[in-house]
Amino acid sequence: MPYSADKPTRVRSSEELRAAIPGWGADLDPADRPAYPREHFDPDSTGAHWHLPEQQPGWQERERSIEHARMTPVFGTSAPLHGLSGSIRRVAYRYSEGRAAHWLLLLAGDRVDAATAHLRSFTTTRPDNPLTQTGIASEVRRRGLLSRKGSQRVDVNHQWIDPILVAGPWIAAATAAAAVVRSVIRR
């Protein structure tokens, strides 16, 4: 049973899984695990007094993966879903985690949340400043480009698209604002 100390029951044998999934069972032998020989299964030593933890209140309003039979007993509440991005994320949880629609909707919800946060910042006395908050200045001061040149770092593969992703929304927003101002002036 998930979320409890019980070990899950195996549906297929180890030999069947090893034959079906390349690399499966590489750590099946406890002697091959990094924690060996300290790793041992002893639920009584944890001090937990429950078989299944008590369900945290408010679970009805939370999003839950359809792969799980029930909501996890304990979940985070620090960043509840809100607004349009929350609606998009709720729709994402109607799809299986194995489908691209689930992850693409979560990405879209994240981008909508970021865009609305940028717009919200303009209503404050301290709006977002892309020059100081994105690290562009440190690229010049700390020799960012030179430090990546000729190296095997993974982030070198996507550095060509970083300026587009960071500056693109700001340029698009500035262009749209300029178009609105221009159309208002022409009237």
Side-chain angles (χ1 to χ4, degrees):
M1 167 183 251
Y3 322 123
S4 69
D6 298 333
K7 285 193 169 184
T9 58
R10 298 189 191 277
V11 177
R12 294 191 284 179
S13 70
S14 298
E15 290 75 24
E16 291 171 330
L17 288 170
R18 187 173 289 124
I21 304 169
W24 187 91
D27 60 347
L28 191 60
D29 183 6
D32 292 338
R33 297 178 185 166
Y36 182 81
R38 291 184 294 170
E39 180 183 79
H40 63 282
F41 182 74
D42 185 13
D44 295 332
S45 67
T46 64
H49 59 277
W50 60 82
H51 177 68
L52 183 67
E54 183 179 328
Q55 180 66 52
Q56 181 177 344
W59 63 272
Q60 296 90 347
E61 298 90 30
R62 300 301 306 199
E63 58 285 350
R64 175 181 60 85
S65 171
I66 61 174
E67 276 84 12
H68 295 266
R70 54 171 295 194
M71 186 70 185
T72 55
V74 179
F75 49 89
T77 58
S78 62
L81 300 182
H82 61 278
L84 178 61
S85 64
S87 299
I88 293 171
R89 288 175 175 149
R90 283 187 190 93
V91 172
Y93 281 95
R94 294 180 188 168
Y95 297 97
S96 167
E97 293 175 4
R99 296 187 58 186
H102 175 82
W103 300 106
L104 291 174
L105 285 168
L106 286 177
L107 284 171
D110 180 66
R111 293 297 82 207
V112 167
D113 194 30
T116 54
H118 289 311
L119 292 175
R120 250 193 334 268
S121 77
F122 289 120
T123 63
T124 66
T125 57
R126 299 181 66 184
D128 289 347
N129 183 346
L131 294 179
T132 59
Q133 295 174 342
T134 58
I136 291 175
S138 67
E139 289 287 332
V140 177
R141 281 188 306 212
R142 309 277 184 205
R143 303 174 6 136
L145 289 175
L146 291 176
S147 69
R148 289 189 289 272
K149 185 177 180 182
S151 70
Q152 300 294 322
R153 291 173 44 174
V154 175
D155 60 344
V156 173
N157 294 334
H158 63 78
Q159 71 179 8
W160 65 271
I161 200 170
D162 290 344
I164 298 169
L165 292 175
V166 172
W170 290 99
I171 293 171
T175 304
V180 168
V181 169
R182 187 178 303 141
S183 68
V184 168
I185 291 173
R186 287 182 181 169
R187 288 184 184 176

